[in-house]
Amino acid sequence: MIAQILAKIFGTRNDREIKKLLPLVQTVNAFEPALKRLSDEALRGRTAGFLEKLDQGCPVADLTAEAFAVVREAGRRALNMRHFDVQIIGGKILFDGTIAEMKTGEGKTLVATLPAYLRALERKGVHIMTVNDYLARRDAEWMGRIYRFLGLEVGCLQSGMSDEDRQNAYRAHITYGTNNEFGFDYLRDNMKFEASSLVQPGHHYVIVDEVDSILIDEARTPLIISGPSEENVDIYYRVDKIIPRLKAGTDYDVDEKHKTASLSETGVTHAEDLLRVKNLYDPSNIDILHCLQQGVRAHALYKSDVDYIVKEGEVIIVDEFTGRLMPGRRWSDGLHQAVEAKEGVKIEGENQTLATITIQNYIRMYKIKAGMTGTALTEAVEFDKIYKLDVMTVPTHQPMVRDDRQDVIFGSLKEKFAAIVEEIKALHAKGQPVLVGTISIEKSELLSTFLRREHIPHVVLNAKYHEREAEIVAQAGRKGSVTIATNMAGRGTDILLGGNPEFLAMKECHPEENPEKHARLLEEYRIKCAAEHEEVVAAGGLHILGTERHEARRIDNQLRGRSGRQGDPGSSRFYLCLEDDLMRIFASDRMAAFMRRFGMNEGVPIESRMVSRAIERAQKQVEAHNFDTRKHLLDYDDVMNKQREAIYTMRREILEDKMTREYILDVGRNIADFFVDEACPSTKDIQEWNIAGIVQKASYYYNIALNADELRELSPEDIKTLVKDRSRAAYEDKVGRMGPELMTLHEKFIMLRVVDTQWKDHLLALDRLREGIGMRAYAQRDPLVEYKRESFDLFEAMMDRIEDLIVSYAFHVEPVPPEQLEQARKPVPPPPRPREIAAPQTSVQVAHTTDHKVGRNDPCPCGSGKKYKKCHGAA
């Protein structure tokens, strides 16, 4: 309360920061008249002028006002879009490396052109991350007109692109793409065997569009490149058959709040009987127990059309925040296999991690980070703690006039849906467009069924129909339209009241196919949509109808933000009931008692600020829990991140020929010092020295033969000198025989192969370590501290193995003689089938005899007792 009073008197910190940026806006405006008088060529020439100033040592920040003014003028000429003053403020916030919270429809896509252009002048690369391929492609093409007008190049990453196309995209001054494309390019680059095939140049400046979606929602799912392991998956089918015979509450307990399911003692005994296993906790049955636990989770907690869909015989995950499909992604630790067994589709093999990084650690690699979204303030603490990013709210261009109505709550799902259908029916009748937000595909299709019964025309947008997402959402503001969408569907696409003329024209004719026809249609639809816009405004604008609250407040705010853009009228309301997941899991007891106290009748809702506050408290609980989950993931990944950086730095040095032959010889010398000191310790008598061990290790590491009697006559230092001299001479002889260039190729391949193999095994070891590390808490030990200590020991052991194997393989590799290589290249004929071997008419030479001929009718020498022709199938 005191904070609110002080904010009204002195203004908030955000207000004070915005006031500091007003002089910049005035300076940008002052440049405008002069720039308007310039020709296109002269305006484009300003880019060369900026580059020249930077080359002379001018700080890039000193060019802010003039550069922003140039971009504004270019936007007016290339797109017929002029940046508003508030968008200039948003551009400066992004340039400084801060998150700009801007309401939906305030033109975030256009705002990004200001800092992107200015940072691109530094020629270190600008990356703009979006939430999907469509938006990346659209923004690169749309905003690219401004950049190209000013003489800059624009690249766009899309899934399925070749390395060459990706290199070209990254060479551009500004590169658009999804967070997944950028992250996986980084991982793939660190699995390449040639420096020429690397695609990602560096990490200087990034703008994250819909920053809350990418850095918060996606942060719980690390990016993983995996390869198949050799585990048997048939066990999942066997286990899945018995799970329907286990009873919830008796055989296993379900905790929906933490999304866990655990077997009870009764359940373990019951499962042992059904599987005919004596003891599930016997080490030999540990795989069966693991599959059983994941199978119970799959049946109890993961629902079709909510958490995943089955499409063309494949289980595809549905993103719980965006409602979008995530093809190619799989749940780890056997959960995906358990869901596949549950749905009766083909079970794909378990995968082993080859490379992984969290979104958090990938983003933190950038020197300067910025982001923009309509809803970031509720997660400001997390942005600060994880990414060291501040959040600033940018004022709207026009005052917000949307009517956000009080939530209404019903007793049951049936009552709630009946009320929703009635409201949609009434709004549709008066021509007011309605956008209905649902939590899952299942709920969107259930509501669609009710609307079809009432003969209300509508469109459904969920993960099953995501291909038409932008088109459907763009037309959600047309007169009388009813659009049912999951969560944040269509994020990044403007809903224009009266319809979007560009989408309507493009639907009939693409501009590249027939420019004249497209221009004519566009003009016709502009007139039609303008007239319809006035009718929709008169009807009250776009109405947002939420069918239930999401567990994150900003997702609800995103849905509400679809209405009331740029000062348009609009309204929003959420319909809730006690059977909603959020209410049932987090707030049902308190709410049910409240409703009983007020004697609520069936079909009669209640509206109360107390209800809204209770729901907000529940949402805060879930947000805090999800933050802890993401923080926990990051704490563990931070440990691995230091190790990953060390390995990837080593890999990059090998690729760039910074780790050369001399590195192998240096490591070889260090190994010699180590095993000689180990075999000939100063604390032991000379007769107790392990001379045989030195001979054996010299052969293992350097492929050289030493004389044990000769070594006994030498001191430890002389033995070291002898081993080093002989090994170096042997290696130089090998280089001479193979040729320096060919040997260099072999060395590089050996080093990369050893590093990759050992890193893969190390990741598997870390996965196994993490699975059981939580149990250390029972011994009053901090699992994270234990994980740090043990993972460091594993890493040191891995680095020792890498050095040992590189030396051993490099010293043992031998050139293949040309004739042997030529012989190896010849195709080997397939062995003949036994029945196609025709015996000679008289006799045949038997392999194990040299002096005896065997006739066709003689007893076979194999001892079978049959005649030779019968035994060998002779004709």
Side-chain angles (χ1 to χ4, degrees), residues 552-618:
R553 286 170 293 166
R554 60 195 163 72
I555 306 296
D556 295 338
N557 294 339
Q558 277 284 349
L559 180 62
R560 271 197 160 125
R562 313 300 294 169
S563 175
R565 62 178 296 282
Q566 291 291 330
D568 284 339
S571 54
S572 69
R573 187 197 291 276
F574 280 85
Y575 281 71
L576 315 174
C577 76
L578 292 178
E579 294 177 21
D580 292 344
D581 290 344
L582 184 73
M583 304 286 287
R584 182 171 51 81
I585 297 169
F586 291 96
S588 59
D589 295 340
R590 195 182 304 115
M591 204 62 62
F594 176 81
M595 293 174 76
R596 279 196 301 272
R597 193 182 310 138
F598 280 83
M600 188 172 144
N601 298 318
E602 185 175 340
V604 179
I606 62 168
E607 295 181 42
S608 166
R609 290 192 181 279
M610 182 179 146
V611 173
S612 299
R613 283 197 298 271
I615 293 163
E616 192 171 333
R617 278 196 300 272

Side-chain angles (χ1 to χ4, degrees), residues 114 154 357 457 477 611 649 714 716 781 810 837-838:
L114 298 164
V154 183
I357 190 170
V611 173
T649 300
L714 302 174
R781 294 178 186 172
I837 302 174

Side-chain angles (χ1 to χ4, degrees), residues 305-307 318-324 416-417 436-444 462 484-488 545-552 555-556 559 574-576 580-582 619:
D305 285 348
V306 177
D307 301 291
V318 175
D319 190 303
E320 64 178 302
F321 291 98
T322 65
R324 292 190 179 98
K416 180 179 80 170
F417 270 97
V436 185
T438 62
I439 292 290
S440 65
I441 300 170
E442 181 185 43
K443 295 285 173 65
S444 66
N462 57 36
I484 303 172
T486 49
N487 287 344
M488 295 182 295
L545 198 157
T547 58
E548 61 187 281
R549 286 283 193 173
H550 194 273
E551 60 182 39
I555 306 296
D556 295 338
L559 180 62
F574 280 85
Y575 281 71
L576 315 174
D580 292 344
D581 290 344
L582 184 73
Q619 288 176 310

